[in-house]
Amino acid sequence: MLVLSRKKGQSIIIGNDIEISVIDIQGEQVRLGINAPGNVKVYRKEVYDEIIRENREASIIPVSPEQIKGIRITMNGKPEDKEKN
Amino acid sequence: MQLNTKHFGIIEVDEKETLYFPSGIPGFEDVRKFVLLGRQQNESPFFWLQSVDRPELAFVVTDPFYIKEGYYVDVDDEEAAEIQITDPENVLTLAIVTIPEDIRYMTVNLRAPVLINTKNNMGKQVIMKNDTFPVKYYIMTGGSEPPAVKE
């Protein structure tokens, strides 16, 4: 990993068109400004990691399609009557 | 074409129904082709996003607009552009369901919906920048984590 020291107001360039600036430093918190083309997606790492974790968890389906078919829900989580007959 | 699946065995699907995800989905970036199974069967709110090439890989999905009143998708135009969305009318929005052993703890990922452009069958999971909707929305209790059951 490349490690660079930057002061408030300084920035780094990645490739030709991504600029990351240090906007402000308050104690342990750093505010970053990011200039990047629209097709470059920028996420907080923890959010992206959380989605990856959730997708992996979702790909493990411990119940059968028949069981899932039997689950009834209504809008906003109010369970529907399980048997209608 | 014939499709080998873990949950449904060998099934026949129309090749024309293949959905193409140019970036895969986070955590499964190399998986590009999926099909939707069980969507026409109205008796269940859940259906399946099945990988074409990996029999064991499938996701249970549902309609987030049905799950959460007032739900909306807020993404940058650039994200929508990756699957060439030009008209919101042609977008099918799905939310991935996570099912643990105890189904009372089932959750739906409302933060990162899967968008499908129904005009060209391209798909993408988008991550909303704001945290209005949670990654784990507990479906059985309308959002919050169900209380633990005393043994």
PDB file of all heavy atoms in Angstrom, chain A residues 24-43:
ATOM      1  N   ASP A  24     -10.930  18.843   5.610  1.00  0.00           N
ATOM      2  CA  ASP A  24     -10.840  19.285   7.001  1.00  0.00           C
ATOM      3  C   ASP A  24     -10.375  18.126   7.885  1.00  0.00           C
ATOM      4  O   ASP A  24     -10.608  16.964   7.572  1.00  0.00           O
ATOM      5  CB  ASP A  24     -12.223  19.760   7.479  1.00  0.00           C
ATOM      6  CG  ASP A  24     -12.120  20.601   8.744  1.00  0.00           C
ATOM      7  OD1 ASP A  24     -10.991  21.000   9.113  1.00  0.00           O
ATOM      8  OD2 ASP A  24     -13.160  20.865   9.371  1.00  0.00           O
ATOM      9  N   ILE A  25      -9.705  18.462   8.952  1.00  0.00           N
ATOM     10  CA  ILE A  25      -9.286  17.452   9.927  1.00  0.00           C
ATOM     11  C   ILE A  25      -9.701  17.941  11.311  1.00  0.00           C
ATOM     12  O   ILE A  25      -9.361  19.047  11.707  1.00  0.00           O
ATOM     13  CB  ILE A  25      -7.750  17.242   9.910  1.00  0.00           C
ATOM     14  CG1 ILE A  25      -7.276  16.883   8.492  1.00  0.00           C
ATOM     15  CG2 ILE A  25      -7.334  16.147  10.896  1.00  0.00           C
ATOM     16  CD1 ILE A  25      -5.777  16.971   8.297  1.00  0.00           C
ATOM     17  N   GLN A  26     -10.514  17.115  11.984  1.00  0.00           N
ATOM     18  CA  GLN A  26     -10.946  17.462  13.343  1.00  0.00           C
ATOM     19  C   GLN A  26     -10.641  16.261  14.224  1.00  0.00           C
ATOM     20  O   GLN A  26     -11.378  15.276  14.170  1.00  0.00           O
ATOM     21  CB  GLN A  26     -12.457  17.723  13.374  1.00  0.00           C
ATOM     22  CG  GLN A  26     -12.930  18.893  12.538  1.00  0.00           C
ATOM     23  CD  GLN A  26     -12.852  20.213  13.298  1.00  0.00           C
ATOM     24  OE1 GLN A  26     -12.720  20.229  14.536  1.00  0.00           O
ATOM     25  NE2 GLN A  26     -12.926  21.311  12.571  1.00  0.00           N
ATOM     26  N   GLY A  27      -9.592  16.336  15.007  1.00  0.00           N
ATOM     27  CA  GLY A  27      -9.240  15.198  15.859  1.00  0.00           C
ATOM     28  C   GLY A  27      -8.997  13.956  15.023  1.00  0.00           C
ATOM     29  O   GLY A  27      -8.132  13.952  14.159  1.00  0.00           O
ATOM     30  N   GLU A  28      -9.827  12.904  15.231  1.00  0.00           N
ATOM     31  CA  GLU A  28      -9.642  11.647  14.518  1.00  0.00           C
ATOM     32  C   GLU A  28     -10.419  11.596  13.213  1.00  0.00           C
ATOM     33  O   GLU A  28     -10.350  10.620  12.478  1.00  0.00           O
ATOM     34  CB  GLU A  28     -10.126  10.489  15.414  1.00  0.00           C
ATOM     35  CG  GLU A  28      -9.297  10.283  16.654  1.00  0.00           C
ATOM     36  CD  GLU A  28      -9.138   8.812  16.972  1.00  0.00           C
ATOM     37  OE1 GLU A  28     -10.121   8.080  16.838  1.00  0.00           O
ATOM     38  OE2 GLU A  28      -8.019   8.410  17.345  1.00  0.00           O
ATOM     39  N   GLN A  29     -11.196  12.646  12.942  1.00  0.00           N
ATOM     40  CA  GLN A  29     -12.066  12.606  11.772  1.00  0.00           C
ATOM     41  C   GLN A  29     -11.508  13.453  10.633  1.00  0.00           C
ATOM     42  O   GLN A  29     -11.125  14.606  10.818  1.00  0.00           O
ATOM     43  CB  GLN A  29     -13.453  13.115  12.153  1.00  0.00           C
ATOM     44  CG  GLN A  29     -14.484  12.868  11.081  1.00  0.00           C
ATOM     45  CD  GLN A  29     -15.802  12.438  11.659  1.00  0.00           C
ATOM     46  OE1 GLN A  29     -16.089  12.703  12.820  1.00  0.00           O
ATOM     47  NE2 GLN A  29     -16.628  11.769  10.880  1.00  0.00           N
ATOM     48  N   VAL A  30     -11.454  12.846   9.468  1.00  0.00           N
ATOM     49  CA  VAL A  30     -10.966  13.537   8.275  1.00  0.00           C
ATOM     50  C   VAL A  30     -12.118  13.690   7.306  1.00  0.00           C
ATOM     51  O   VAL A  30     -12.829  12.725   7.016  1.00  0.00           O
ATOM     52  CB  VAL A  30      -9.835  12.728   7.597  1.00  0.00           C
ATOM     53  CG1 VAL A  30      -9.318  13.459   6.373  1.00  0.00           C
ATOM     54  CG2 VAL A  30      -8.715  12.453   8.574  1.00  0.00           C
ATOM     55  N   ARG A  31     -12.343  14.895   6.782  1.00  0.00           N
ATOM     56  CA  ARG A  31     -13.360  15.081   5.739  1.00  0.00           C
ATOM     57  C   ARG A  31     -12.665  15.093   4.390  1.00  0.00           C
ATOM     58  O   ARG A  31     -11.710  15.848   4.191  1.00  0.00           O
ATOM     59  CB  ARG A  31     -14.126  16.392   5.959  1.00  0.00           C
ATOM     60  CG  ARG A  31     -15.217  16.257   7.026  1.00  0.00           C
ATOM     61  CD  ARG A  31     -15.729  17.614   7.446  1.00  0.00           C
ATOM     62  NE  ARG A  31     -16.286  18.361   6.323  1.00  0.00           N
ATOM     63  CZ  ARG A  31     -17.538  18.211   5.868  1.00  0.00           C
ATOM     64  NH1 ARG A  31     -18.331  17.347   6.431  1.00  0.00           N
ATOM     65  NH2 ARG A  31     -17.977  18.940   4.869  1.00  0.00           N
ATOM     66  N   LEU A  32     -13.131  14.225   3.498  1.00  0.00           N
ATOM     67  CA  LEU A  32     -12.513  14.113   2.182  1.00  0.00           C
ATOM     68  C   LEU A  32     -13.456  14.651   1.119  1.00  0.00           C
ATOM     69  O   LEU A  32     -14.664  14.442   1.175  1.00  0.00           O
ATOM     70  CB  LEU A  32     -12.202  12.637   1.877  1.00  0.00           C
ATOM     71  CG  LEU A  32     -11.246  11.923   2.835  1.00  0.00           C
ATOM     72  CD1 LEU A  32     -11.172  10.443   2.497  1.00  0.00           C
ATOM     73  CD2 LEU A  32      -9.852  12.555   2.796  1.00  0.00           C
ATOM     74  N   GLY A  33     -12.888  15.311   0.133  1.00  0.00           N
ATOM     75  CA  GLY A  33     -13.661  15.708  -1.036  1.00  0.00           C
ATOM     76  C   GLY A  33     -13.213  14.864  -2.204  1.00  0.00           C
ATOM     77  O   GLY A  33     -12.017  14.620  -2.383  1.00  0.00           O
ATOM     78  N   ILE A  34     -14.163  14.360  -2.966  1.00  0.00           N
ATOM     79  CA  ILE A  34     -13.817  13.466  -4.071  1.00  0.00           C
ATOM     80  C   ILE A  34     -14.358  14.015  -5.380  1.00  0.00           C
ATOM     81  O   ILE A  34     -15.549  14.297  -5.500  1.00  0.00           O
ATOM     82  CB  ILE A  34     -14.376  12.043  -3.831  1.00  0.00           C
ATOM     83  CG1 ILE A  34     -13.756  11.467  -2.550  1.00  0.00           C
ATOM     84  CG2 ILE A  34     -14.088  11.124  -5.015  1.00  0.00           C
ATOM     85  CD1 ILE A  34     -14.632  10.552  -1.782  1.00  0.00           C
ATOM     86  N   ASN A  35     -13.489  14.195  -6.335  1.00  0.00           N
ATOM     87  CA  ASN A  35     -13.880  14.591  -7.669  1.00  0.00           C
ATOM     88  C   ASN A  35     -13.595  13.437  -8.602  1.00  0.00           C
ATOM     89  O   ASN A  35     -12.446  13.040  -8.779  1.00  0.00           O
ATOM     90  CB  ASN A  35     -13.037  15.784  -8.131  1.00  0.00           C
ATOM     91  CG  ASN A  35     -13.859  17.047  -8.142  1.00  0.00           C
ATOM     92  OD1 ASN A  35     -15.028  17.025  -8.503  1.00  0.00           O
ATOM     93  ND2 ASN A  35     -13.238  18.152  -7.735  1.00  0.00           N
ATOM     94  N   ALA A  36     -14.643  12.857  -9.180  1.00  0.00           N
ATOM     95  CA  ALA A  36     -14.436  11.705 -10.060  1.00  0.00           C
ATOM     96  C   ALA A  36     -15.508  11.710 -11.142  1.00  0.00           C
ATOM     97  O   ALA A  36     -16.586  12.263 -10.935  1.00  0.00           O
ATOM     98  CB  ALA A  36     -14.512  10.404  -9.253  1.00  0.00           C
ATOM     99  N   PRO A  37     -15.209  11.108 -12.289  1.00  0.00           N
ATOM    100  CA  PRO A  37     -16.232  11.030 -13.336  1.00  0.00           C
ATOM    101  C   PRO A  37     -17.442  10.250 -12.839  1.00  0.00           C
ATOM    102  O   PRO A  37     -17.330   9.455 -11.902  1.00  0.00           O
ATOM    103  CB  PRO A  37     -15.542  10.262 -14.470  1.00  0.00           C
ATOM    104  CG  PRO A  37     -14.102  10.228 -14.140  1.00  0.00           C
ATOM    105  CD  PRO A  37     -13.975  10.425 -12.675  1.00  0.00           C
ATOM    106  N   GLY A  38     -18.574  10.482 -13.481  1.00  0.00           N
ATOM    107  CA  GLY A  38     -19.830   9.877 -13.038  1.00  0.00           C
ATOM    108  C   GLY A  38     -19.818   8.366 -13.000  1.00  0.00           C
ATOM    109  O   GLY A  38     -20.510   7.755 -12.186  1.00  0.00           O
ATOM    110  N   ASN A  39     -19.024   7.732 -13.859  1.00  0.00           N
ATOM    111  CA  ASN A  39     -19.047   6.271 -13.900  1.00  0.00           C
ATOM    112  C   ASN A  39     -18.180   5.643 -12.811  1.00  0.00           C
ATOM    113  O   ASN A  39     -18.130   4.430 -12.675  1.00  0.00           O
ATOM    114  CB  ASN A  39     -18.643   5.749 -15.279  1.00  0.00           C
ATOM    115  CG  ASN A  39     -17.217   6.124 -15.642  1.00  0.00           C
ATOM    116  OD1 ASN A  39     -16.633   7.020 -15.033  1.00  0.00           O
ATOM    117  ND2 ASN A  39     -16.646   5.463 -16.613  1.00  0.00           N
ATOM    118  N   VAL A  40     -17.477   6.482 -12.053  1.00  0.00           N
ATOM    119  CA  VAL A  40     -16.696   5.953 -10.927  1.00  0.00           C
ATOM    120  C   VAL A  40     -17.563   6.052  -9.673  1.00  0.00           C
ATOM    121  O   VAL A  40     -17.967   7.130  -9.264  1.00  0.00           O
ATOM    122  CB  VAL A  40     -15.385   6.744 -10.732  1.00  0.00           C
ATOM    123  CG1 VAL A  40     -14.642   6.252  -9.487  1.00  0.00           C
ATOM    124  CG2 VAL A  40     -14.507   6.611 -11.955  1.00  0.00           C
ATOM    125  N   LYS A  41     -17.890   4.892  -9.112  1.00  0.00           N
ATOM    126  CA  LYS A  41     -18.759   4.887  -7.953  1.00  0.00           C
ATOM    127  C   LYS A  41     -17.939   4.990  -6.683  1.00  0.00           C
ATOM    128  O   LYS A  41     -16.935   4.314  -6.540  1.00  0.00           O
ATOM    129  CB  LYS A  41     -19.598   3.613  -7.929  1.00  0.00           C
ATOM    130  CG  LYS A  41     -20.698   3.636  -8.961  1.00  0.00           C
ATOM    131  CD  LYS A  41     -21.125   2.257  -9.346  1.00  0.00           C
ATOM    132  CE  LYS A  41     -20.105   1.606 -10.230  1.00  0.00           C
ATOM    133  NZ  LYS A  41     -20.481   0.267 -10.653  1.00  0.00           N
ATOM    134  N   VAL A  42     -18.348   5.863  -5.810  1.00  0.00           N
ATOM    135  CA  VAL A  42     -17.622   6.058  -4.562  1.00  0.00           C
ATOM    136  C   VAL A  42     -18.552   5.693  -3.407  1.00  0.00           C
ATOM    137  O   VAL A  42     -19.658   6.218  -3.305  1.00  0.00           O
ATOM    138  CB  VAL A  42     -17.156   7.527  -4.419  1.00  0.00           C
ATOM    139  CG1 VAL A  42     -16.410   7.728  -3.109  1.00  0.00           C
ATOM    140  CG2 VAL A  42     -16.294   7.925  -5.606  1.00  0.00           C
ATOM    141  N   TYR A  43     -18.141   4.753  -2.586  1.00  0.00           N
ATOM    142  CA  TYR A  43     -18.918   4.374  -1.415  1.00  0.00           C
ATOM    143  C   TYR A  43     -18.018   4.394  -0.196  1.00  0.00           C
ATOM    144  O   TYR A  43     -16.821   4.180  -0.292  1.00  0.00           O
ATOM    145  CB  TYR A  43     -19.452   2.937  -1.541  1.00  0.00           C
ATOM    146  CG  TYR A  43     -20.330   2.690  -2.716  1.00  0.00           C
ATOM    147  CD1 TYR A  43     -19.864   1.962  -3.803  1.00  0.00           C
ATOM    148  CD2 TYR A  43     -21.637   3.160  -2.743  1.00  0.00           C
ATOM    149  CE1 TYR A  43     -20.684   1.708  -4.893  1.00  0.00           C
ATOM    150  CE2 TYR A  43     -22.447   2.926  -3.825  1.00  0.00           C
ATOM    151  CZ  TYR A  43     -21.972   2.194  -4.899  1.00  0.00           C
ATOM    152  OH  TYR A  43     -22.770   1.950  -5.969  1.00  0.00           O
TER     153      TYR A  43
END
